Amino acid sequence: MTLLYTSDPARGRIWRGIFADEAIGFAEAGDAHDPASIRYLAAWNPSVELIATLPALEVLFSIGAGIDQFDMGRLPDHVRVVRMIEPGITQGMVEYATMAALMLHRNMIDHGIAQREGRWAPIKLVPASERRIGVMGLGNLGQAVLGALRPFGFALSGWSRSRHAVEGVDCFAGAAEMPAFLTGCDILICLLPLTDDTRGILCRETLTQLPQSAALINVGRGGHLVEQDLLSLLDDGRISGAVLDVFDPEPLPAGHAFWAHPRIVMTPHVASMTRADSAARALIANIRRHEAGAAMDGEVARSRGY
Ligand code: GLV
């Protein structure tokens, strides 16, 4: 069994060592290898041409948490698809979402504006117990973020397509319960997968169901957000601020209104990144599960798109 790796070379060097220790064949695109021996591919966005050269391919492993970059329609039906679930990605997302939620909770966007204008403008504190934070997407990352926010005492809720139960979190499911969820989120965090159903889900219709002056954190995908809707809601004060890490396209084009918007804090898709060592070990554990005929962690239902 051999894995073909086509991603960041620095991470590849670490993976090569770990795969050697585990006695699993490992090849990078530049290595001499027999394409017919490749059963596993670890990649971010492999070309259709590359996949066509791998007749024995069984599993396509995403290097990242998302799989929306794959062209599923052009992937042979029998190839299984697995997203990356590993502690490094989870830790990064927990840090970023907590940082962003605390920033919004503690009015840092308004304090930043006042600072730049030279105004001394105290804002009355709202206790965490009176701040309602809602997470859309209750997968591994959404649940980890809620778990990290819980000790602060925030009032937490979560929404997902299918019913979930998360300790200490008021959970909502499906389109029918979305309005009830949205009306209770002072801070909304998007951690959904990008699918045909979730593209554009952060739009005027949903964002105007949030309480007056609510704030948004988007760490899902740029495609979740209808940018013009957010801009107009920020400009008329309906939404008070946004922390955005993902954009469509990336990089965000020069001159885009987000760059200089006083009520947007943006970062260049850095909320969370795959950590080389823990990702290699998570992937190897999945290969072992697959070889034993067991279910892989993070396997995607291809028809569902996540
Ligand atoms: C990053 O966005 C990832 O999918 O890991």
Side-chain angles (χ1 to χ4, degrees):
M1 52 169 165
T2 298
L3 174 120
L4 177 64
Y5 170 92
T6 63
S7 186
D8 171 54
R11 189 191 293 124
R13 277 191 289 282
I14 297 171
W15 279 38
R16 188 183 293 279
I18 295 174
F19 274 73
D21 290 347
E22 297 286 335
I24 298 178
F26 178 90
E28 285 188 71
D31 297 335
H33 67 277
D34 174 10
S37 71
I38 301 298
R39 290 169 55 196
Y40 307 116
L41 174 62
W44 175 245
N45 196 1
S47 65
V48 178
E49 292 74 25
L50 171 67
I51 288 177
T53 65
L54 307 175
L57 184 64
E58 291 171 32
V59 187
L60 169 57
F61 291 100
S62 175
I63 289 288
I67 52 95
D68 50 286
Q69 72 282 9
F70 292 155
D71 190 349
M72 292 287 192
R74 300 183 70 183
L75 194 62
D77 288 343
H78 67 274
V79 174
R80 299 166 75 175
V81 175
V82 179
R83 63 205 150 81
M84 181 62 76
I85 297 184
E86 64 93 7
I89 293 182
T90 309
Q91 173 70 23
M93 190 54 81
V94 161
E95 287 176 6
Y96 188 96
T98 304
M99 176 270 305
L102 290 175
M103 227 179 105
L104 294 169
H105 168 56
R106 297 303 304 263
N107 308 300
M108 287 304 286
I109 288 185
D110 284 290
H111 287 310
I113 292 171
Q115 179 188 353
R116 288 188 289 279
E117 292 174 355
R119 280 187 295 115
W120 183 269
I123 300 172
K124 195 168 173 290
L125 290 194
V126 171
S129 58
E130 289 171 25
R131 188 76 79 186
R132 299 164 298 173
I133 302 184
V135 173
M136 294 179 106
L138 294 176
N140 163 70
L141 297 179
Q143 293 199 28
V145 165
L146 284 160
L149 292 173
R150 216 176 146 200
F152 291 99
F154 292 115
L156 298 175
S157 61
W159 179 88
S160 54
R161 185 172 113 148
S162 57
R163 176 80 51 203
H164 284 67
V166 183
E167 206 186 333
V169 177
D170 204 2
C171 289
F172 297 82
E177 295 179 17
M178 173 112 62
F181 165 73
L182 293 170
T183 54
C185 296
D186 299 313
I187 297 172
L188 176 66
I189 303 177
C190 176
L191 260 168
L192 288 166
L194 184 63
T195 66
D196 290 345
D197 289 338
T198 65
R199 186 173 298 280
I201 198 167
L202 304 172
C203 61
R204 172 169 287 276
E205 189 193 335
T206 49
L207 296 175
T208 53
Q209 293 177 56
L210 297 170
Q212 171 62 34
S213 305
L216 172 70
I217 298 168
N218 190 15
V219 276
R221 287 286 183 258
H224 287 128
L225 178 65
V226 180
E227 296 180 348
Q228 286 309 320
D229 288 359
L230 176 66
L231 284 167
S232 75
L233 293 168
L234 284 170
D235 290 345
D236 64 21
R238 182 64 182 75
I239 298 288
S240 61
V243 179
L244 307 176
D245 183 57
V246 286
F247 304 89
D248 184 17
E250 293 178 359
L252 186 69
H256 190 287
F258 284 175
W259 285 108
H261 199 291
R263 297 202 165 271
I264 292 178
V265 173
M266 53 172 281
T267 47
H269 202 142
V270 293
S272 171
M273 281 177 203
T274 302
R275 199 171 71 205
D277 57 341
S278 47
R281 292 186 202 290
L283 193 144
I284 288 168
N286 261 339
I287 289 181
R288 303 244 188 263
R289 287 187 192 102
H290 175 69
E291 305 258 322
M296 288 178 285
D297 199 15
E299 181 163 354
V300 169
R302 287 185 51 180
S303 58
R304 199 179 60 170
Y306 66 97

